[in-house]
Amino acid sequence: MNDRQVVWHASLVTREQREAANGHKAAVVWFTGLPGSGKSTTAHEVERLLFALGCQAYVLDGDNVRHGLSADLGFSPEHRNEHLRRIAELSRLTHDSGMIVLCAFVSPTRASRDKVRALIPQGAFFEAYCRCPISVCAERDLKGFYAKAQAGQIKDYTGVSAPYEEPTAAELVLDTATQPVAQCAADVIALLTKRGIIRPSATLTPAARGA
């Protein structure tokens, strides 16, 4: 199949129209960090808060995506790149639907994260770095992956036998080792509010906040 046989079919409903119906703008929040740094935990708490605010939001989680979309991929550098390429395209399409997409992936290289950023309209992509010492990440590792990687039983494990490149210009840095999940999630909500993605969260009830 050549390029001329694959034609983009434009929707009759624009993203702007979807945003107006949703009552908020579309965005992609990309949570990155070492395995065990709290990416998924934080992303799901943000999703819960956004839902309480009446926003259309959904979490794309690394492990969940590997159950289906990337079930044929392993963890070699080549497969990791393909995994992220698929997620980047999925996040772009979901963003175009008018939703707030919360992506939780190690995404260890700056280049891979920059590729995702380049797919999303300017001002709608937010990199959230879950900063956490590897010692704390290892303590949280109930699967024992860090111990296996340190013993040489797992190859190309980020933070042990494969590098992780810290963000240099993340829109948000979350100290997930010292801050509770509720505070990290609140910081994300505050950023989305400040950037005009969602309306001020004054209507968020104490119960929804987890108080």
Side-chain angles (χ1 to χ4, degrees):
M1 181 177 291
N2 59 44
D3 291 342
R4 284 180 291 182
Q5 292 174 301
V6 180
V7 179
W8 182 268
H9 197 145
S11 175
L12 298 180
V13 182
T14 67
R15 187 187 72 249
E16 289 76 12
Q17 289 173 318
R18 299 178 195 275
E19 290 175 332
N22 290 339
H24 61 79
K25 293 183 179 179
V28 173
V29 182
W30 192 273
F31 296 87
T32 179
L34 290 168
S37 60
K39 301 179 297 299
S40 295
T41 301
T42 305
H44 280 284
E45 178 62 13
V46 173
E47 179 189 44
R48 188 185 70 82
L49 293 178
L50 288 172
F51 182 79
L53 288 168
C55 298
Q56 300 295 317
Y58 192 77
V59 174
L60 296 178
D61 176 83
D63 282 353
N64 290 355
V65 171
R66 283 185 176 275
H67 275 83
L69 183 62
S70 293
D72 59 323
L73 299 177
F75 292 89
S76 67
E78 295 77 17
H79 281 198
R80 285 178 181 270
N81 287 337
E82 173 59 18
H83 178 54
L84 288 174
R85 187 195 68 80
R86 295 179 187 183
I87 296 307
E89 292 296 335
L90 180 58
S91 64
R92 180 178 66 87
L93 291 171
T94 310
H95 169 270
D96 195 51
S97 75
M99 295 183 66
I100 299 174
V101 195
L102 308 168
C103 301
F105 298 90
V106 174
S107 45
T109 68
R110 298 186 188 101
S112 64
R113 299 190 295 267
D114 288 343
K115 287 181 180 179
V116 185
R117 183 186 292 272
L119 291 175
I120 308 302
Q122 187 174 3
F125 182 88
F126 304 92
E127 189 175 38
Y129 174 34
C130 294
R131 184 169 58 192
C132 187
I134 191 170
S135 58
V136 176
C137 294
E139 289 176 2
R140 296 173 174 173
D141 181 19
L142 299 179
K143 301 176 183 177
F145 288 158
Y146 272 101
K148 291 179 180 179
Q150 291 168 348
Q153 298 175 20
I154 299 178
K155 296 181 179 179
D156 300 318
Y157 195 76
T158 305
V160 179
S161 50
Y164 176 79
E165 298 176 358
E166 294 187 359
T168 57
E171 279 76 13
L172 188 62
V173 177
L174 303 170
D175 287 313
T176 54
T178 59
Q179 289 184 326
V181 175
Q183 182 59 58
C184 291
D187 288 348
V188 176
I189 296 295
L191 175 65
L192 294 176
T193 304
K194 180 180 180 180
R195 297 296 181 88
I197 301 299
I198 62 176
R199 297 170 181 172
S201 56
T203 56
L204 194 59
T205 65
R209 290 181 184 274

